[in-house]
Amino acid sequence: MARSATYAFNFLPSPVKPNYCLLLGCAATLSFSAAIAAQSTSATKPAITARPIEAAPKAVPAKMQKEAAAKTPGPPKEPAITFNSVHVDGPYIAMTFDDGPSATLTPKLLDLLAAHHIKATFFVIGENVAEHPEIVARAAREGHEIANHSWSHPNLAKMSQESVRSQLQRTDDAIKSAIGKSATLLRPPYGSITEREKRWIHDEFGYDIILWDVDPLDWKRPGPAVVRNRILKETRPGSIVLSHDIHPGTIEAMPSTFDELEAKGFKFVTVSELIAMATPETPHPKAKPAEKTATKAAPSAVPTSSPGG
């Protein structure tokens, strides 16, 4: 191309040669500018990368969400501080006796417990401990557990915090004076105590709150046979049996009661030992919805507090 242009140029007349050279120079300049612009545009223009089209997330079925939530561990449960009974692996029960010590009846009961090699828990009244510390000392020496039942058997749920504190502290001091150590359990008189009281008493004194699931109502003095039969009928593994060592009929009922409980295979431990044996309960599968024609089951009765507790 350049050679052809040069050849043609040589044959042009002289007056025309300057104009032709000017045209050739302009054309060359325009071509060079166009090339530079093309290179600059390709360098600065960002490359477009092809991206795959993302699919919309699928909705998780409600059933799967519930199953996942059930498998997710929740926050750890707070340890229990109130016990009516204890879930245990084995035929273990705790016999408990309230309101003593009695000067005449508690020693008879201690003799009977020793003969059967039974360890029990005594929820004592502070006034009685102060009056008969030697009986409490004997009970502790023979392996029985001594626990707080207040100073004078009032209804704690109807008292001020300061009054409740005084009742428990005075009794704890009397117990410590008699046996050399403080109690670790509390049974509120009549089983009457508020949720708030449970919490601050546990935090301040370290007490577990002990109620019961077997109540022979011996404070009504129904007679030894009735007391025995009620205990035998209601006692289950893990039961906490309530009775009182201040009623003659209760002491009379105990020999045959112990014999028959032993014949059923029950083993006797203190309340603290029973709590230490606690095992987790196996959750039962949820029952299927009842037929529309089925009648609703009557609600189970809630145990009431015994006036003699």
Side-chain angles (χ1 to χ4, degrees), residues 188-205:
Y190 316 107
S192 179
I193 189 170
T194 68
E195 289 300 319
R196 180 178 175 278
E197 286 175 333
K198 289 179 184 179
R199 175 53 56 191
W200 75 256
I201 288 170
H202 176 75
D203 292 344
E204 187 170 324
F205 288 88

Side-chain angles (χ1 to χ4, degrees), residues 126-270:
E127 291 178 335
N128 294 338
V129 176
E131 191 172 350
H132 304 292
E134 73 286 352
I135 299 176
V136 178
R138 176 193 167 184
R141 191 168 57 249
E142 293 179 1
H144 304 292
E145 185 170 26
I146 310 300
N148 197 324
H149 196 41
S150 81
W151 180 260
S152 58
H153 209 281
N155 187 332
L156 301 184
K158 296 182 178 180
M159 301 175 66
S160 69
Q161 182 168 325
E162 191 55 43
S163 296
V164 172
R165 180 180 290 109
S166 175
Q167 284 277 329
L168 304 187
Q169 188 62 62
R170 293 177 71 188
T171 305
D172 196 72
D173 291 343
I175 291 172
K176 189 172 182 179
S177 177
I179 68 174
K181 62 180 180 178
S182 296
T184 60
L185 308 176
L186 167 69
R187 173 170 284 162
Y190 316 107
S192 179
I193 189 170
T194 68
E195 289 300 319
R196 180 178 175 278
E197 286 175 333
K198 289 179 184 179
R199 175 53 56 191
W200 75 256
I201 288 170
H202 176 75
D203 292 344
E204 187 170 324
F205 288 88
Y207 292 155
D208 284 334
I209 313 301
I210 309 302
L211 302 176
W212 57 86
D213 68 327
V214 179
D215 182 1
L217 302 176
D218 60 331
W219 58 272
K220 292 185 176 181
R221 304 192 179 195
V226 174
V227 171
R228 178 192 67 239
N229 292 339
R230 286 173 177 169
I231 292 175
L232 294 175
K233 180 181 179 181
E234 298 174 18
T235 301
R236 302 287 184 272
S239 282
I240 298 175
V241 182
L242 168 69
S243 51
H244 300 78
D245 56 328
I246 61 170
H247 302 309
T250 299
I251 307 306
E252 292 175 28
M254 286 302 111
S256 59
T257 300
F258 292 156
D259 286 340
E260 296 196 40
L261 287 172
E262 287 173 333
K264 287 175 174 283
F266 287 113
K267 299 181 184 301
F268 303 88
V269 294
T270 66

